[in-house]
Amino acid sequence: MKRALVVDDDAAIRILVTKILRRHGFDVDAVPDGAAAIEQLIQYEYAVVVLDLMMPRIDGFGVIHYIADHHPEMFDRVIVMTAYGPTVAEKICPPVVRFIHKPFDVDRLLSEAASAAASGGA
């Protein structure tokens, strides 16, 4: 079973994305902020990381920097999901491949997750 990490401070979105991914064959860990995400990334390998940008403690930008520094092979498995417009994608450095706007389309999320998981990983 492919493992996914869902990172979002909005509990309703975190729960919804977790349920969607579980129904489609993913083993899902879900955390409320970037600090907890980094703790998970230290312990486990993920096929997919669904990541919000604006969160307390460590935001999504911090998680992206952590992945770039410690797990660059995972970069094409990160799906950034945010309510901020397309200009925020330009501010992400290094740039992410997968970007979904909130409110998100379930089919698009599943397509991106399947594509990310197919690129490698747990």
Side-chain angles (χ1 to χ4, degrees), residues 8-119:
D8 200 310
D9 60 325
D10 184 322
I13 292 174
R14 193 171 60 246
I15 291 166
L16 176 63
V17 172
T18 296
K19 286 181 179 182
I20 290 167
L21 292 175
R22 282 186 178 147
R23 285 185 185 151
H24 287 85
F26 286 88
D27 182 19
V28 181
D29 294 325
V31 295
D33 59 51
I38 290 171
E39 291 173 14
Q40 291 296 116
L41 290 165
I42 289 169
Q43 294 181 33
Y44 304 104
E45 184 176 340
Y46 291 96
V48 178
V49 177
V50 180
L51 179 65
D52 185 24
L53 288 180
M54 302 304 173
M55 298 178 290
R57 298 200 308 161
I58 297 175
D59 62 16
F61 296 101
V63 175
I64 289 168
H65 286 273
Y66 173 82
I67 291 170
D69 291 345
H70 300 279
H71 301 285
E73 74 284 357
M74 285 186 59
F75 222 70
D76 60 345
R77 294 182 251 154
V78 175
I79 303 169
V80 170
M81 189 169 63
T82 185
Y84 292 89
T87 57
V88 76
E90 298 167 5
K91 297 178 182 177
I92 300 172
C93 187
V96 293
V97 177
R98 304 170 198 289
F99 195 85
I100 297 176
H101 295 283
K102 292 179 185 175
F104 64 92
D105 176 86
V106 172
D107 291 332
R108 171 94 192 275
L109 172 66
L110 291 170
S111 173
E112 291 289 356
S115 179
S119 71

